[in-house]
């Protein structure tokens, strides 16, 4: 995330860039300068998840009640000192960032494998050094913050860009996050979430003016520096030879500076003493080894330009690239209209981006922004430096800046001109990056209305997405592409399927609902799924085709489900929702269950039909923990101690939580027949409590013991169990006790009710989707399924 090596360099070699500040004092200063204006901090929520998740247990599926309590305290502390928080979340992965996303997911796979190895060896949770955030944490954090009354937004493009833009144009106090890209954006001040002490509200502010002074650069040079060092747009390897060439010519060695820091200083020195000096005479591509990566490089620079800003490093012929991020998505605007800047929207339609705007470093240098967006935040200038580096605003003007020497060294470094570098630095190209005409890049960014043509419906979906009121719906309708990150799944325990396959039939029906809009779903194009599961190299997306929903009278249109308020519409919404889970035949029993357990029963019914390795003990544990959860406080759950950690229970906890996210998707697509609060994990699931019930059930504890001798819960338990078991029986799936079948069927295939015996699965019900054992990775060529058992399996209970 961010600029390669910059975080460590700033911490170790540029201590003046970091200043300890107090949010309460900054808020008071802001109010004195702007009477009647509430000090606002833009929060990059994606950067803060690890900071917020402080419950001791993380491996069991999430301590959601404890987590909600942490978020409530976080919001309260800022509110008490008069600071408003605006939270931004990632809404989608941009095409240019997909490679980075994939690399991180594959790295996470290796980390997850080590976690399960540790659990199997030590029968306990690993230390915090192996911490992996619970599945669905970002998704449910959005809804938690909305429940707490906070303004919560979801991005329509690169999230950190929207954060920086929002912070600049709304005169915010600053950006709270942990991403060095915020040092590059010419925005409001940037504060560190990792250095935040909630008790005192002290944190560290990073000052980009001081960074420029230390490097001998001006603010307009920072995007160029970021791209030459490598970031999420420009691969680090693209300029590797160039950086080492700069280092070989760099003669000023800074004390206590490691090799990475020396490279940063050398590249900055080359920008100041070579590139800027010859800028008016030569094109940048002549001075740098851009080669076929020219278009990507200019995209990287343009990605840091906020609305109204330009760069002297982007030549006129590539001027179209600068519009790439000028079209900042205004969350309340019509998808057909031109994108407006956030300042032109009302308080309910502010653009959503992963909240991470800069902390209070007031830019005193003349910025490359329009006259209407001048910042008057607290000044972040270096008292030891009188540098007033003018921001270069006109890319067509010739720059004649004086040579900037290293502020820590008075000696003049011999200049390595482009003629010295070009013969010796080979082009470092990435074969995955194809050259593009810079003038034709803009359409690539406008991912508008590619799958759905009904602008009214798309506008509704877009607004819900922006205000974090839905999950994945707009992504499917606008771009036909979705992704799901890693889940705590044990690749060696093949008796349990990946959640990517378990919930795929649900997603396929949702695709039909959203893309066919009441018509024949068979004619819909496939959706590109970037889902992480064992054996998926993520070299390309799985192409997953929509699956027609089976409903009497056909599938209703989205206008009916989303916009119609006539009596009876709510019942129609529920009918479609249950059909997405293929549970229409269980509608009466399910709707008789009170909230929030109606949603839980729907999920468990689907899950136990789909996954025939789930046992009666598993069902008992899921139901018992949900019933006992309301009676336990966050403190009681934190104090709960487990005998040991079971790897299978870890995977089951993550599987259920991913199921809750599927409930969110289906509920959103169907017009929200359920209240969102009924789908939240802090009302339905606690990882450690489930783990306790799971271990007890495996030991043969009675139902009375599982519900802690509570007679009312005992009765309720059997009501919920009956609903799930009846739904399974309708699909010829009888849930057996693990104690009965485990000794007879040891190993990965030993479980009841699978294969040919259950005709409700696989090819026998092609119109209803495939059972998880029958599924392959989307459009990839199917290989023989080693899990498919024949009639000899013999289980009939």
């Amino acid at each position: 995330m961010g600029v390669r090596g910059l975080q460590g360099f700033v911490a170790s070699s540029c201590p003046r860039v970091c200043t300890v500040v107090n949010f309460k004092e900054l808020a008071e200063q802001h109010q004195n300068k702007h009477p009647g204006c509430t000090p606002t901090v833009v929060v990059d929520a994606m950067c803060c998840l690890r900071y917020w998740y402080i419950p001791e247990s993380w491996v069991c599926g999430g301590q959601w009640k404890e987590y909600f309590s942490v978020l409530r305290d976080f919001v309260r502390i800022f509110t008490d000192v008069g600071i408003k928080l605006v939270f931004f979340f990632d809404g989608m992965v941009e095409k240019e960032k997909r490679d980075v996303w994939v690399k991180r997911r594959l790295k996470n796979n290796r980390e997850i494998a080590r976690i399960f190895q540790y659990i199997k060896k030590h029968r306990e949770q690993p230390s915090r050094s192996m911490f992996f955030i619970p599945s669905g944490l970002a998704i449910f954090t959005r809804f938690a913050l909305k429940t707490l009354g906070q303004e919560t937004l979801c991005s329509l493009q690169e999230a950190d860009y929207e954060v920086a833009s929002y912070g600049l144009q709304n005169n915010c106090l600053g950006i709270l996050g942990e991403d060095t890209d915020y040092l590059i954006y010419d925005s409001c001040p940037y504060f560190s979430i990792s250095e935040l002490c909630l008790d005192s509200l002290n944190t560290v502010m990073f000052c980009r003016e001081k960074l420029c002074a230390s490097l001998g650069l001006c603010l307009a040079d920072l995007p160029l520096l970021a791209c030459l060092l490598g970031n999420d747009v420009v691969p680090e390897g693209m300029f590797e030879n160039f950086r080492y060439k700069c280092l070989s010519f760099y003669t000023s060695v800074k004390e206590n500076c490691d090799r990475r820091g020396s490279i940063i200083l050398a590249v900055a020195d080359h920008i100041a003493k070579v590139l800027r000096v010859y800028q008016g005479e030569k094109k940048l591509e002549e001075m740098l080894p851009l080669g076929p990566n020219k278009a990507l490089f200019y995209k990287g620079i343009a990605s840091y330009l906020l609305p109204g800003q330009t760069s002297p490093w982007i030549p006129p012929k590539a001027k179209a690239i600068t519009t790439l991020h000028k079209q900042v998505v205004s969350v309340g605007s019509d998808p057909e209209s031109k994108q407006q800047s956030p300042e032109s929207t009302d308080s309910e339609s502010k653009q959503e981006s992963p909240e991470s705007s800069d902390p209070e470093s007031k830019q005193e240098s003349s910025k490359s922004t329009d006259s209407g967006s001048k910042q008057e935040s607290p000044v972040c200038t270096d008292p030891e430096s009188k540098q007033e580096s003018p921001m270069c605003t006109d890319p067509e003007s010739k720059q004649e800046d004086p040579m900037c020497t290293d502020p820590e060294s008075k000696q003049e470094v011999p200049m390595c001109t482009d003629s010295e570098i070009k013969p010796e630095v080979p082009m470092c190209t990435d074969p995955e990056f194809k050259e593009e005409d810079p003038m034709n890049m803009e359409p690539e960014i406008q991912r508008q209305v590619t799958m759905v043509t009904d602008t009214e419906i798309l506008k509704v979906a877009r607004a819900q997405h922006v205000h974090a009121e839905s999950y994945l719906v707009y992504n499917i309708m606008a771009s036909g592409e979705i992704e799901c990150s890693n889940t705590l799944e044990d690749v060696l325990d093949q008796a349990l399927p990946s959640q990517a396959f378990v919930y795929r039939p649900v997603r396929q029906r949702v695709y039909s609902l959203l893309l066919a809009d009441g018509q024949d779903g068979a004619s819909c194009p496939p959706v590109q799924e970037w889902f992480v599961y064992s054996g998926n190299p993520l070299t390309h997306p799985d192409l997953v085709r929509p699956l027609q929903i089976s409903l009497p009278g056909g599938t209703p249109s989205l206008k009916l489900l989303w916009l119609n308020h006539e009596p009876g519409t709510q019942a129609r919404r529920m009918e479609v929702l249950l059909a997405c889970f293929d549970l229409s035949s269980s509608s009466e029993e399910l709707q008789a269950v009170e909230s929030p357990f109606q949603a839980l029963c729907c999920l468990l019914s689907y899950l136990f039909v789909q996954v025939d390795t789930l046992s009666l003990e598993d069902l008992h544990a899921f139901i018992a923990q949900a019933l006992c959860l309301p009676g336990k406080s966050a403190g009681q759950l934190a104090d709960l101690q487990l005998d040991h950690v079971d790897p299978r229970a870890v995977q089951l906890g993550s599987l259920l939580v991913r199921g809750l996210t599927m409930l969110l998707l289906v509920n959103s697509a169907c017009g929200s027949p359920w209240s969102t609060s009924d789908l939240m994990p802090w009302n339905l699931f606690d990882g450690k409590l489930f783990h306790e019930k799971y271990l007890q059930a495996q030991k043969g504890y009675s139902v009375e013991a599982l519900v802690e001798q509570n007679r009312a819960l005992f009765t309720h338990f059997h009501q919920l169990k009956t609903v799930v078991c009846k739904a399974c029986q309708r699909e010829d799936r009888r849930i057996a006790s693990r104690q009965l079948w485990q000794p007879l069927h040891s190993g990965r295939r030993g479980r009841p009710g699978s294969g040919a015996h259950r005709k409700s699965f696989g090819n026998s019900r092609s119109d209803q989707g495939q059972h998880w054992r029958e599924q392959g990775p989307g459009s990839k060529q199917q290989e023989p399924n080693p899990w498919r058992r024949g009639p000899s399996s013999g289980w009939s209970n």
Side-chain angles (χ1 to χ4, degrees):
M1 177 181 290
V3 183
R4 307 295 186 263
L6 187 58
Q7 183 73 41
F9 170 75
V10 167
S12 63
S13 304
C14 295
R16 293 188 307 163
V17 174
C18 309
T19 305
V20 176
V21 295
N22 181 270
F23 272 119
K24 183 177 180 181
E25 295 174 0
L26 293 177
E28 292 172 352
Q29 295 170 15
H30 188 277
Q31 285 184 315
N32 289 336
K33 291 184 178 181
H34 309 279
C37 179
T38 303
T40 301
V41 172
V42 194
V43 186
D44 185 340
M46 303 303 293
C47 294
C48 301
L49 295 178
R50 287 175 176 267
Y51 173 87
W52 289 330
Y53 192 88
I54 61 175
E56 180 182 353
S57 177
W58 49 269
V59 81
C60 296
Q63 300 306 109
W64 297 99
K65 217 169 197 179
E66 296 176 56
Y67 181 65
F68 187 86
S69 177
V70 171
L71 291 177
R72 183 176 56 228
D73 290 343
F74 182 88
V75 169
R76 175 184 54 79
I77 289 172
F78 277 91
T79 302
D80 287 348
V81 297
I83 294 177
K84 175 185 176 181
L85 300 174
V86 177
F87 297 87
F88 277 90
F89 288 80
D90 281 317
M92 56 184 61
V93 178
E94 290 194 344
K95 182 179 178 181
E96 292 79 11
K97 302 292 184 77
R98 181 61 69 185
D99 285 344
V100 175
W101 185 91
V102 167
K103 289 177 182 177
R104 289 174 184 163
R105 304 292 80 74
L106 296 178
K107 179 184 177 184
N108 288 345
N109 279 344
R110 296 189 291 271
E111 294 173 352
I112 290 172
R114 287 194 291 270
I115 289 172
F116 276 101
Q117 289 172 5
Y118 184 95
I119 293 172
K120 292 174 183 178
K121 182 178 180 180
H122 300 280
R123 304 184 77 207
E124 65 181 15
Q125 175 180 278
S127 67
R128 189 79 178 190
S129 64
M130 297 178 71
F131 173 71
F132 196 86
I133 64 173
S135 298
L137 190 67
I139 300 165
F140 292 116
T141 302
R142 302 179 200 172
F143 292 94
L145 291 169
K146 291 185 74 66
T147 300
L148 293 169
Q150 299 304 293
E151 185 173 354
T152 307
L153 303 171
C154 191
S155 70
L156 287 164
Q157 60 183 81
E158 183 56 36
D160 56 10
Y161 176 85
E162 292 192 25
V163 168
S165 179
Y166 185 97
L168 174 67
Q169 299 192 39
N170 290 275
N171 195 29
C172 291
L173 193 64
I175 297 169
L176 183 61
E178 202 70 25
D179 188 338
T180 47
D181 277 335
Y182 294 125
L183 261 174
I184 307 300
Y185 287 112
D186 187 11
S187 180
C188 62
Y190 161 41
F191 305 105
S192 169
I193 181 65
S194 65
E195 299 294 333
L196 175 64
C197 175
L198 274 180
D199 292 336
S200 63
L201 277 181
N202 286 341
T203 189
V204 168
M205 178 176 72
F206 296 94
C207 180
R208 53 184 74 86
E209 282 83 4
K210 292 181 180 180
L211 176 63
C212 288
S214 298
L215 297 176
L217 301 176
C218 64
L219 289 172
D221 299 328
L222 291 180
L224 173 63
L225 175 70
C227 292
L228 291 176
L229 295 176
N231 54 24
D232 286 352
V233 175
V234 180
E236 187 176 13
M238 185 183 295
F239 291 102
E240 183 174 8
N241 291 338
F242 169 78
R243 290 193 296 271
Y244 288 129
K245 192 66 177 179
C246 289
L247 185 61
S248 68
F249 280 95
Y250 185 62
T251 58
S252 177
V253 179
K254 192 169 184 177
E255 294 182 5
N256 301 323
C257 195
D258 58 15
R259 185 171 181 80
R260 173 76 73 169
S262 297
I263 289 175
I264 293 175
L265 288 171
V267 172
D269 185 72
H270 186 74
I271 292 173
K273 298 179 180 178
V274 177
L275 300 186
R276 249 198 284 128
V277 169
Y278 288 93
Q279 186 178 10
E281 303 171 14
K282 300 180 180 181
K283 299 176 182 177
L284 186 60
E285 52 259 39
E286 294 177 1
M287 296 188 285
L288 291 175
L290 296 182
N293 300 303
K294 179 171 59 176
L296 181 67
F297 178 73
Y298 285 131
K299 279 185 182 180
I301 295 180
S303 69
Y304 290 108
L305 302 180
L306 303 180
Q309 297 179 350
T310 57
S311 170
W313 298 108
I314 297 180
K317 71 174 184 179
K319 205 167 184 178
I321 307 174
T322 62
T323 65
L324 179 148
H325 285 296
K326 280 184 181 178
Q327 300 179 13
V328 179
V329 183
S330 164
V331 298
S333 64
D334 191 310
E336 293 181 293
S337 65
K338 292 184 178 180
Q339 309 300 345
Q340 305 170 1
S341 58
E343 61 185 340
S344 65
T345 63
D346 58 27
S347 59
E348 297 222 6
S349 61
K350 292 180 180 177
Q351 81 189 51
E352 40 180 78
S353 47
E355 64 289 27
S356 108
S357 40
D358 243 351
E360 300 196 40
S361 70
K362 168 156 189 178
Q363 316 297 348
E364 285 255 319
S365 52
S366 98
K367 297 179 181 241
S368 60
T369 59
D370 54 13
S371 58
S373 60
K374 291 184 179 178
Q375 186 91 12
E376 292 188 36
S377 330
V379 179
C380 172
T381 57
D382 187 348
E384 302 174 13
S385 169
K386 297 181 179 180
Q387 178 186 24
E388 292 184 357
S389 50
M391 192 78 164
C392 306
T393 59
D394 187 358
E396 301 183 24
S397 65
K398 294 185 178 181
Q399 191 168 2
E400 298 182 0
D401 294 346
M403 180 185 302
C404 298
T405 58
D406 188 337
E408 311 244 5
S409 171
K410 295 184 178 180
Q411 70 182 67
E412 293 190 7
V413 182
M415 291 205 284
C416 57
T417 63
D418 62 304
S419 60
E420 294 175 295
I421 289 184
K422 285 173 68 176
E424 300 181 46
V425 181
M427 300 286 188
C428 180
T429 62
D430 189 328
E432 293 188 26
F433 289 94
K434 299 179 180 179
E435 182 174 14
E436 301 172 74
D437 180 359
M439 299 301 292
N440 294 325
M441 291 187 206
E442 193 174 347
E444 184 181 315
I445 305 305
Q446 298 177 346
R447 298 194 286 182
Q448 305 267 14
V449 197
T450 57
M451 303 290 281
V452 175
T453 57
D454 189 326
T455 56
E456 181 181 11
I457 285 297
L458 193 70
K459 183 177 180 179
V460 173
R462 182 176 178 274
Q464 291 176 346
H465 171 96
V466 164
H467 296 294
E469 296 169 350
S470 65
Y471 171 59
L472 292 182
V473 168
Y474 181 71
N475 306 62
I476 295 167
M477 299 178 72
S479 65
E481 182 178 36
I482 62 171
E483 56 274 325
C484 182
S485 187
N486 306 76
T487 304
L488 281 181
E489 296 176 343
D490 184 5
V491 297
L492 299 181
D493 181 8
Q494 299 181 43
L496 283 176
S498 170
Q499 63 90 18
F501 290 129
V502 172
Y503 300 113
R504 177 176 282 179
V506 178
R507 298 194 301 272
Q508 288 177 283
R509 296 185 186 98
V510 171
Y511 301 158
S512 177
L513 176 64
L514 296 177
L515 302 180
D517 195 13
Q519 306 302 314
D520 181 12
S523 60
C524 294
V527 172
Q528 299 180 56
E529 288 191 349
W530 294 89
F531 274 61
V532 181
Y533 54 83
S534 176
N536 184 7
L538 295 172
T539 53
H540 57 78
D542 293 337
L543 301 182
V544 179
R545 293 208 167 268
L547 188 65
Q548 186 70 34
I549 299 176
S550 178
L551 276 174
T555 306
S557 68
L558 294 178
K559 283 187 176 179
L560 174 66
L561 295 174
W562 294 7
L563 306 178
N564 190 295
H565 302 289
E566 297 295 327
T569 304
Q570 189 72 353
R572 189 64 169 151
R573 294 185 182 111
M574 181 61 69
E575 182 183 12
V576 178
L577 183 147
L578 294 178
C580 287
F581 285 96
D582 198 17
L583 291 171
S584 297
S585 58
S586 300
S587 175
E588 185 176 346
E589 291 90 346
L590 285 169
Q591 294 192 63
V593 178
E594 70 277 17
S595 299
F597 302 108
Q598 185 178 123
L600 178 67
C601 284
C602 173
L603 178 57
L604 291 177
S605 297
Y606 174 83
L607 199 53
F608 275 75
V609 168
Q610 282 289 308
V611 185
D612 45 14
T613 55
L614 295 177
S615 68
L616 198 59
E617 288 80 8
D618 300 331
L619 179 60
H620 287 179
F622 280 130
I623 295 177
Q625 67 85 30
L627 290 174
C628 294
L629 181 59
K632 297 186 182 298
S633 67
Q636 290 174 316
L637 294 169
D639 292 338
L640 195 155
Q641 299 296 316
L642 299 175
D643 292 339
H644 66 274
V645 174
D646 184 285
R648 184 174 182 274
V650 168
Q651 188 163 342
L652 287 180
S654 294
L655 184 61
L656 186 88
V657 172
R658 285 298 187 193
L660 293 177
T661 66
M662 285 299 101
L663 284 173
L664 275 173
L665 167 62
V666 179
N667 194 53
S668 301
C670 295
S672 300
W674 279 327
S675 169
T676 303
S677 63
D678 292 343
L679 314 178
M680 294 298 105
W682 47 88
N683 293 325
L684 292 171
F685 179 81
D686 179 88
K688 200 158 52 168
L689 183 59
F690 165 71
H691 219 94
E692 179 187 62
K693 302 302 179 184
Y694 175 89
L695 296 177
Q696 292 174 350
Q698 297 300 317
K699 293 177 182 178
Y701 277 42
S702 65
V703 172
E704 291 89 339
L706 291 177
V707 297
E708 303 170 2
Q709 310 301 328
N710 186 311
R711 184 173 295 276
L713 294 185
F714 178 81
T715 302
H716 204 175
F717 177 97
H718 283 288
Q719 291 174 341
L720 301 184
K721 177 182 175 181
T722 298
V723 171
V724 176
C725 289
K726 282 186 176 181
C728 290
Q729 287 172 0
R730 287 190 178 93
E731 300 298 331
D732 200 16
R733 160 75 160 113
R734 297 191 62 185
I735 308 171
S737 169
R738 189 176 179 85
Q739 297 176 355
L740 294 178
W741 55 264
Q742 190 173 27
L744 297 177
H745 292 266
S746 59
R748 66 185 189 181
R749 299 189 187 184
R751 77 255 184 269
S754 83
H757 169 70
R758 299 210 0 246
K759 295 182 180 179
S760 59
F761 293 143
N763 296 329
S764 61
R765 292 183 65 189
S766 59
D767 62 322
Q768 295 299 316
Q770 291 177 300
H771 180 250
W772 66 269
R773 295 189 184 278
E774 314 263 340
Q775 294 186 56
S779 64
K780 300 172 187 175
Q781 185 173 358
Q782 302 277 338
E783 296 181 358
N785 192 336
W787 298 109
R788 187 176 298 146
R789 301 196 313 181
S792 60
S793 59
W795 276 97
S796 58
N797 59 329

